[in-house]
Amino acid sequence: MSETETGTARETAAHDTVEAAVRAQLNKALGGVRGMVEAAVPTIAFTGTYVAAKDVKLAVGAGVGAAVLLLLVRLAQRSSPQFVLNSLFGIAIAAFFALRSGKAENAFLPGILLNAGYGAAMIFSIAVRWPVVGFIIGSVTGDPTAWRADPGIVRLCSRLTWLLVLPCVVRVAVQYPIYLADGDQSGLLGTAKIAMGWPLQVAALAAMAWLLARGRTPITPGGPAKSEKPA
């Protein structure tokens, strides 16, 4: 048996239902509480510094510095730097937009556009009956597309994907009008970004956990899962 097949077998043994696999994989994708905090800290540093000093360059330095410090802590602990690197990449793009224009609020435009893109892509995946959450199941079973053979699994994955879409839609609906408003909106945008970051994600995950807790859909390694309606 190859290393890939062995890893797949271990994942399947650890998660004998679709619901358990989705919960575990989503938590892994977000990096848990620490990963979500690390994503928020550079934004807090950038926004707080700009509101206090009204200096774009100083605020950018604070945001990037916070991300680099978090990265050094990860490296010192010899833990995965994946989520800090994601945060550093994000603040670097935000810094580019802010420094190029000289306007602090432009640091938040990439995040707004990214959420709009994610939301549109996930809605499209639902419309064509390839909901993105389905590939989480595929990553556990070892077959990326077998889950589509069961209409019940497709419906479950579609509902779960909608729950991931909602935070993206809410962020764009709230933050983009603020961005378009007259005057310096960086303080308000920073507050909205922080408030709508991990809190909204946690709310979405809680809703997904509630939905997943209602059923037990067994995973069939190498083949489609068979859905079971909750009692």
Side-chain angles (χ1 to χ4, degrees):
M1 181 180 287
S2 68
E3 290 184 8
T4 301
E5 290 172 332
T6 301
T8 298
R10 287 174 183 166
E11 289 281 356
T12 302
H15 310 299
D16 60 350
T17 68
V18 169
E19 290 78 10
V22 172
R23 283 196 298 269
Q25 294 294 89
L26 286 174
N27 186 63
K28 185 188 298 182
L30 292 170
V33 173
R34 182 175 180 179
M36 290 187 281
V37 169
E38 287 171 339
V41 166
T43 299
I44 294 172
F46 173 87
T47 304
T49 302
Y50 183 78
V51 169
K54 297 297 182 183
D55 187 318
V56 174
K57 291 182 179 179
L58 185 62
V60 165
V64 172
V68 170
L69 180 61
L70 291 171
L71 177 60
L72 291 175
V73 171
R74 282 281 192 175
L75 293 175
Q77 295 176 339
R78 296 185 178 181
S79 58
S80 173
Q82 174 188 347
F83 302 101
V84 178
L85 289 174
N86 291 344
S87 179
L88 182 59
F89 180 70
I91 196 69
I93 294 176
F96 173 78
F97 274 70
L99 292 173
R100 185 178 182 183
S101 65
K103 295 180 179 180
E105 59 263 33
N106 282 346
F108 301 96
L109 182 59
I112 295 171
L113 296 176
L114 188 63
N115 274 281
Y118 278 154
M122 285 190 285
I123 291 172
F124 178 77
S125 78
I126 295 168
V128 297
R129 294 183 60 77
W130 284 88
V132 295
V133 173
F135 293 99
I136 294 175
I137 298 168
S139 71
V140 175
T141 63
D143 189 326
T145 60
W147 55 273
R148 292 198 75 247
D150 187 333
I153 300 299
V154 175
R155 287 194 296 271
L156 171 64
C157 293
S158 293
R159 289 196 292 268
L160 292 170
T161 303
W162 274 119
L163 291 174
L164 291 180
V165 169
L166 285 176
C168 295
V169 172
V170 171
R171 288 171 190 142
V172 174
V174 173
Q175 294 174 29
Y176 190 57
I178 296 174
Y179 172 80
L180 293 177
D182 294 333
D184 182 2
Q185 302 296 329
S186 55
L188 189 55
L189 279 169
T191 302
K193 183 178 178 67
I194 295 164
M196 294 182 171
W198 65 264
L200 265 187
Q201 207 65 51
V202 168
L205 289 175
M208 294 174 81
W210 173 82
L211 180 62
L212 291 168
R214 299 174 62 208
R216 286 185 57 81
T217 309
I219 290 177
T220 304
K226 299 300 182 182
S227 61
E228 292 180 0
K229 293 182 180 179

